[in-house]
Amino acid sequence: MSDIKKVIVGLDIGTTKVCAIVGAKNEHGKVEILGMGKADSLGVIRGEVRNIDKTVKSIREAVEKAKQSMAQGKIRIEINSVHVGIAGQHIKSLQHRNSIARPQNEEEITKNDVDRLISDTYNLALPPGDKIIHVIPQEYSVDDFTDVTDPVGIAGVRLSGNFHIITGHIDAIKNIYKSVNRAGLEVADLILEPLSSSDAVLTPEEMEAGVCLVDVGGGTTDVAIFKNGMIRHTAVIPFGGNIITDDIVDGCQVLRNQAELLKLKFGSALADENKENEIVCIPGFHGRPPKEVSIKNLAMVIQARVEEIFESVLYEIKSSGLERKLNAGIVITGGGSQLKHLDKLVEFVTGIDTRIGYPNEHISKTIVEEIKSPMYATGVGLVIKGLNGEEEVTVETTQEEETSQVATNKKGGFLSTWLEKGKAWLNEDDIKDF
């Protein structure tokens, strides 16, 4: 009896790290993370690839570490195709309405009609240098019928739709493709990072009720607002965890690596949660005496910048017109969400219920427990997006076969998988042996 599995590799090219995550979907529809590798990101500034050579090196290192991670579970996979996230200040969004006319003698609207409407929307005229990344349907209308979620099967002549369109700068997009291709890989799909993160940390119920996802990365903070199960607003705020570290460097007069460690180990988003007499000592410069840093002063520096970031988030929420319709509140994820007391400060600044989003909502089993940290939400989301998309890689295994062949996807990328000792592909019983 054969067991069909889909295998996807998500590649998160971030400001602080490049992360490759390999995942498969089990028979229960949950995602099993097979391996993960990460490397320092040296060629990315505020979400954009600036130095291609350095980014290529980081991608290769992350992919190699992902293979080593899988090897610990006695799985060998040759990675040739990846689903890549895109972010950065160049990302913009807009609302657009488009329509097509159908011959009156035709019958009900078909999926081909909807696909033609969406395809035609990709021809929208944009400012020079911009390119459409996503065309996301909102609502449709058929003749005089409005607020139609699914127009297929409805009789009508004029099909219209409201679309949320996400664009990016052509050069920034090209740099991602160049970096991935020079690393010996192919781009199976390019996905906006907050859309990926939302798949990892949000529930369908939250998206239906109204929720604002805030992904605090190293270089930028991405905002995505959902209502009635659809994305309604996206924005990129040009501040992230790195600028908090820079503030600590200036405010506490320490080296940058020391500032990063202070933020991670002792940082807090609420100064009042720390006592006046809490002090941490760090080594002095070149034989100078150790430097004492007040934990409360450190928190004050952090709190000032975090308040500024989330005041910008609140501005975007108000701009969307959905400020009073976010019944599921705010969900914060990304590496920056790990700051202590961050959710309390965000609730104070915005007046909206807030929680931290962990990418374990859709994960079944994994040999990499670290993957459940919010800093890997984008990478896990890229895997989920790939597994739920149409252009997927399938793996067919049998109990008798040790070698499995992976089908080539529509864009030419493929994976090859060899399972040792004749094991079936990650059965529930077998996973315990890895």
Side-chain angles (χ1 to χ4, degrees):
M1 182 178 179
S2 63
D3 185 20
I4 301 287
K5 293 292 175 184
K6 299 168 184 175
V7 178
I8 292 293
V9 181
L11 184 64
D12 175 14
I13 305 175
T15 304
T16 58
K17 71 181 186 308
V18 173
C19 182
I21 298 176
V22 185
K25 186 179 286 188
N26 65 17
E27 62 272 21
H28 304 295
K30 290 282 189 176
V31 177
E32 294 175 353
I33 301 301
L34 311 179
M36 185 270 286
K38 66 176 180 179
D40 291 337
S41 182
L42 304 176
V44 181
I45 300 176
R46 291 196 172 177
E48 296 182 43
V49 174
R50 299 289 178 85
N51 188 310
I52 293 177
D53 288 341
K54 290 182 178 179
T55 304
V56 169
K57 183 179 178 181
S58 297
I59 292 173
R60 286 174 176 166
E61 183 180 346
V63 170
E64 185 59 34
K65 288 182 178 179
K67 293 179 182 178
Q68 294 171 4
S69 174
M70 288 183 290
Q72 295 177 4
K74 300 182 180 179
I75 304 170
R76 288 196 317 161
I77 294 180
E78 183 181 347
I79 300 173
N80 293 316
S81 174
V82 292
H83 287 66
V84 187
I86 183 170
Q89 287 180 264
H90 64 99
I91 298 294
K92 301 174 185 176
S93 65
L94 59 98
Q95 298 293 127
H96 179 69
R97 184 172 178 83
N98 197 21
S99 303
I100 59 171
R102 306 171 64 249
Q104 295 194 22
N105 60 350
E106 285 197 6
E107 297 181 350
E108 294 82 7
I109 291 172
T110 66
K111 187 177 183 300
N112 287 338
D113 293 320
V114 177
D115 290 342
R116 181 159 65 93
L117 174 63
I118 294 174
S119 178
D120 185 63
T121 306
Y122 273 94
N123 297 322
L124 176 67
L126 297 174
D130 284 352
K131 179 181 177 63
I132 292 178
I133 299 172
H134 296 295
V135 171
I136 305 172
Q138 306 279 277
E139 303 93 4
Y140 296 96
S141 60
V142 180
D143 294 342
D144 295 330
F145 295 98
T146 59
D147 294 329
V148 177
T149 303
D150 184 4
V152 175
I154 300 176
V157 176
R158 187 173 185 81
L159 173 64
S160 304
N162 295 323
F163 298 94
H164 185 79
I165 297 175
I166 296 170
T167 68
H169 199 277
I170 291 176
D171 289 339
I173 296 172
K174 284 182 178 178
N175 284 348
I176 290 177
Y177 274 85
K178 286 179 181 178
S179 299
V180 174
N181 292 338
R182 290 182 188 178
L185 305 168
E186 293 185 8
V187 177
D189 200 3
L190 190 66
I191 304 167
L192 184 68
E193 290 191 356
L195 292 182
S196 302
S197 301
S198 67
D199 274 13
V201 303
L202 299 181
T203 66
E205 291 78 14
E206 286 177 319
M207 294 185 187
E208 184 68 28
V211 64
C212 175
L213 175 74
V214 182
D215 189 339
V216 185
T220 60
T221 296
D222 301 324
V223 179
I225 299 176
F226 298 83
K227 181 68 177 177
N228 297 329
M230 303 175 191
I231 191 164
R232 301 294 183 176
H233 184 80
T234 54
V236 178
I237 297 168
F239 302 118
N242 283 355
I243 198 166
I244 297 175
T245 303
D246 292 339
D247 288 346
I248 296 171
V249 170
D250 295 334
C252 299
Q253 297 182 338
V254 295
L255 297 176
R256 198 176 195 287
N257 63 333
Q258 294 172 336
E260 184 69 18
L261 288 173
L262 283 171
K263 180 181 74 174
L264 295 175
K265 291 189 175 183
F266 304 101
S268 169
L270 277 178
D272 289 343
E273 294 290 332
N274 298 276
K275 299 177 181 179
E276 294 282 355
N277 59 352
E278 290 180 321
I279 301 292
V280 60
C281 290
I282 59 175
F285 302 143
H286 297 291
R288 293 182 177 89
K291 183 177 182 63
E292 292 185 348
V293 176
S294 166
I295 298 299
K296 186 160 188 173
N297 289 343
L298 173 66
M300 290 175 65
V301 171
I302 294 173
Q303 181 175 338
R305 180 63 75 176
V306 172
E307 284 180 350
E308 180 184 1
I309 292 173
F310 279 90
E311 283 170 359
S312 298
V313 170
L314 182 59
Y315 172 81
E316 294 296 339
I317 292 174
K318 291 179 177 179
S319 299
S320 72
L322 297 170
E323 181 183 6
R324 301 191 181 279
K325 297 181 180 180
L326 300 180
N327 297 330
I330 295 174
V331 177
I332 314 171
T333 193
S337 68
Q338 298 175 98
L339 267 175
K340 287 186 293 186
H341 312 301
L342 179 62
D343 51 346
K344 292 181 181 179
L345 178 62
V346 173
E347 287 183 353
F348 175 77
V349 172
T350 65
I352 302 173
D353 288 342
T354 302
R355 74 171 178 88
I356 306 299
Y358 295 88
N360 54 11
E361 179 70 28
H362 307 282
I363 294 178
S364 175
K365 294 184 177 181
T366 175
I367 61 175
V368 189
E369 286 299 319
E370 185 185 0
I371 207 73
K372 295 179 180 179
S373 166
M375 68 187 299
Y376 299 112
T378 296
V380 172
L382 289 169
V383 172
I384 294 173
K385 279 284 186 190
L387 290 171
N388 293 337
E390 294 181 359
E391 297 181 358
E392 297 168 342
V393 180
T394 60
V395 180
E396 183 171 355
T397 68
T398 64
Q399 295 288 347
E400 294 81 14
E401 294 174 341
E402 287 192 22
T403 304
S404 303
Q405 182 63 39
V406 182
T408 304
N409 69 11
K410 296 179 183 178
K411 292 189 179 180
F414 63 91
L415 299 168
S416 297
T417 305
W418 294 268
L419 303 181
E420 297 182 1
K421 301 180 182 178
K423 286 181 180 284
W425 179 259
L426 287 183
N427 288 331
E428 290 294 322
D429 293 335
D430 294 334
I431 189 81
K432 298 174 183 177
D433 298 330
F434 291 153

